[in-house]
Amino acid sequence: MTDIIFISFEFPPLSAGGIFRSKEFAKNLPAEGITPHVYCLSPDHYENVYPGSKKDEQLLNDLSGRGVRIIPVPIDPIWNLYNTPLKRFWNIYFSIYRGNEHRKWKHHLFRKIKEDAATVNFKAVLVTAPPFGMLPLALEVAKVLGLPLILDMRDAWAFWNSTGFGTYLHYLTTVKKERELFRKADVIIATSEQTITDWIGLHPSIPSTKYTCITNGFNEEIVNEIKTEITVKPIPHSGKFDIVYVGSFYFSPETRENMLTPALKRKRLRKLQYYPRIQDWLYRSPHFFLKAVARLFEIEPGLRKHVKIKFAGHRYKWLDDMVAEFGLQNEVVFLGFMKHAEALELQKAADALLITSAKVYNGRDCFIAGKTFEYITMNRPIFSFVSEGAQKDILKDTGLSIEFEPDNTEEAALKLNRIFTEGLKLKPNVPYIETFGRKKLTKKLADTIKEVIEKRNR
């Protein structure tokens, strides 16, 4: 077995969207001859970073007996970085890593790794981000131990601008830091091909051969057989139609307004904020879907009593307001936080699943929601209110996507009407869907790790 250091700050039992990729990689790597030593935030210290965070102990069940070594690493409270207005301003405005977790975790992490390195012959360092502050920590570990470094970039750091950069200088500094890390890393993993295309344009000096795409995926052990044909009965036969959305929307009305407002018209320091690309995150919200449903009920009022829209996850005030705006209070059900197993059962029982994506003006969105890869195994149609980009590309190729143009409300409402009153049949592209199984994706990661180690040892 080949031992590697796997730095994954967020890891089970923390219940958060970013943990599933790391968990499944860790679970499946031993079958490929690699033992991951996972250095993660200690559950006893979640409150030092994530007040009110949720734990899901069930997430650890399928890691037991797999040959994964989990090393919980404590962290000092980060709140003293923000306990005065000046500290808060300084540690938010001047943090290019979009957080300061690494500053309070570093000495604990290095101590643990140093202890283990005395008895374990580590062969490589794998780090997943965000938090982006984990990247320089992993680089330092790799440098001290003389090991190759693999960066698993779950998000595109320099393009992650939902809240904007403090100034154009902040952006340039981030691009420079990202380029330095990419230059020193042996491999940089992206979660979409579009991200690699964007990186090649942003960092032309980095050899494109350093990049590889390993998307997110689904756990083969918890899904049913993927059907070759799916029939959705119309409402006159079924009597009801449940549309389900699981997870967060990553949308803030205030942030959107700031991004789309000309710089000189923003308030105070926000005038200096810089956005490398203009994205409209209203498209990540259910706004356009709800608008189409409201129009549908104007066309066919009788459908209102048959359709339910179910949201599982955090309930936002802006979402309440949005539902009220379209007069859908009686048709929308908020289910709140659910454990992963419960969310899977909810998806399986749905008549359709809802997915959205941000709109990039004069460009293509590079992000793919992690829930996409669960959705495509549920044998359900996916109502895709998505814009041009990686999300749309993948969904289209699955054969499960019912595409709706978010900006064309009338057309979307008429399409929904046809589905509800006539039903539909879909032919999933099963071979393509199966390529996103976690075991296949982990094999690609394992092959990448082995190749990097072999190159270093030549």
Side-chain angles (χ1 to χ4, degrees), residues 386-401:
V386 296
S387 304
E388 293 299 322
Q391 178 90 46
K392 186 173 184 177
D393 294 344
I394 279 188
L395 286 168
K396 184 176 182 179
D397 289 343
T398 65
L400 290 165
S401 177

Side-chain angles (χ1 to χ4, degrees), residues 9-15 19 40-57 60 72-75 78-79:
F9 185 76
E10 299 175 340
F11 199 77
L14 181 67
S15 183
I19 62 93
C40 58
L41 176 62
S42 169
D44 294 336
H45 293 78
Y46 286 172
E47 289 297 314
N48 287 349
V49 185
Y50 306 118
S53 58
K54 303 288 187 180
K55 293 183 185 179
D56 187 351
E57 299 291 345
L60 292 172
V73 180
I75 190 171
I78 68 172
W79 310 123

Side-chain angles (χ1 to χ4, degrees), residues 427-450:
K427 291 186 178 296
N429 185 346
V430 178
Y432 177 72
I433 292 171
E434 288 177 341
T435 64
F436 298 107
R438 293 283 193 186
K439 291 180 181 178
K440 290 184 175 67
L441 297 170
T442 304
K443 185 180 186 310
K444 184 173 182 180
L445 173 62
D447 290 343
T448 299
I449 294 170
K450 292 172 184 176

Side-chain angles (χ1 to χ4, degrees), residues 319-335:
L319 184 51
D320 277 324
D321 294 341
M322 194 176 285
V323 169
E325 175 188 353
F326 295 112
L328 298 173
Q329 296 95 321
N330 294 329
E331 290 71 42
V332 170
V333 179
F334 294 102
L335 300 173

Side-chain angles (χ1 to χ4, degrees), residues 18 50 97 100 134 168 191 207 244 261 265 276 299 301 346 404 408 431:
Y50 306 118
Y97 296 110
N100 293 284
M134 300 301 116
Y168 182 58
T191 56
V244 166
T261 299
K265 293 185 178 180
I299 298 170
L346 176 67
F404 294 87
N408 193 331

Side-chain angles (χ1 to χ4, degrees), residues 221-383:
E221 298 167 356
I222 60 174
V223 301
N224 297 324
E225 180 181 359
I226 301 170
K227 296 179 180 179
T228 57
E229 184 172 288
I230 296 171
T231 300
V232 178
K233 293 181 179 180
I235 283 177
H237 289 83
S238 65
K240 61 92 179 177
F241 202 101
D242 290 345
I243 305 167
V244 166
Y245 183 94
V246 174
S248 300
F249 281 106
Y250 302 102
F251 170 70
S252 162
E254 296 79 13
T255 299
R256 173 182 183 259
E257 181 181 5
N258 192 61
M259 184 186 297
L260 299 181
T261 299
L264 293 178
K265 293 185 178 180
R266 297 180 200 148
K267 297 178 180 179
R268 295 183 288 276
L269 283 174
R270 291 182 179 179
K271 294 180 185 296
L272 302 175
Q273 285 187 330
Y274 177 75
Y275 296 89
R277 52 175 62 176
I278 300 301
Q279 301 173 335
D280 192 341
W281 283 52
L282 183 62
Y283 288 79
R284 283 201 75 160
S285 82
H287 174 90
F288 298 95
F289 164 69
L290 296 176
K291 186 177 181 181
V293 171
R295 176 60 185 139
L296 167 69
F297 292 156
E298 291 176 356
I299 298 170
E300 292 289 347
L303 291 175
R304 185 181 286 269
K305 64 183 178 181
H306 298 289
V307 177
K308 287 295 180 185
I309 302 162
K310 299 180 178 181
F311 293 117
H314 184 71
R315 184 171 180 172
Y316 307 90
K317 182 183 181 304
W318 62 259
L319 184 51
D320 277 324
D321 294 341
M322 194 176 285
V323 169
E325 175 188 353
F326 295 112
L328 298 173
Q329 296 95 321
N330 294 329
E331 290 71 42
V332 170
V333 179
F334 294 102
L335 300 173
F337 170 79
M338 283 187 166
K339 291 187 176 181
H340 188 230
E342 296 171 330
L344 290 175
E345 292 304 313
L346 176 67
Q347 293 172 53
K348 291 175 184 177
D351 293 292
L353 302 166
L354 172 66
I355 198 79
T356 62
S357 72
K359 182 174 183 175
V360 177
Y361 291 99
N362 300 315
R364 305 180 84 248
D365 187 28
C366 65
F367 298 103
I368 306 172
K371 65 175 69 67
T372 302
F373 301 96
E374 283 187 350
Y375 276 15
I376 64 177
T377 68
M378 295 298 158
N379 295 315
R380 294 290 181 268
I382 301 172
F383 287 178

Side-chain angles (χ1 to χ4, degrees), residues 160-197:
W160 183 254
N161 68 330
S162 61
T163 55
F165 291 87
T167 63
Y168 182 58
L169 181 60
H170 285 75
Y171 169 67
L172 292 179
T173 303
T174 301
V175 171
K176 180 181 178 182
K177 181 60 67 174
E178 183 177 79
R179 187 173 298 147
E180 288 175 0
L181 285 159
F182 282 11
R183 186 175 292 119
K184 293 174 182 178
D186 293 82
V187 172
I188 305 105
I189 299 171
T191 56
S192 78
E193 293 290 352
Q194 183 62 47
T195 302
I196 293 176
T197 298

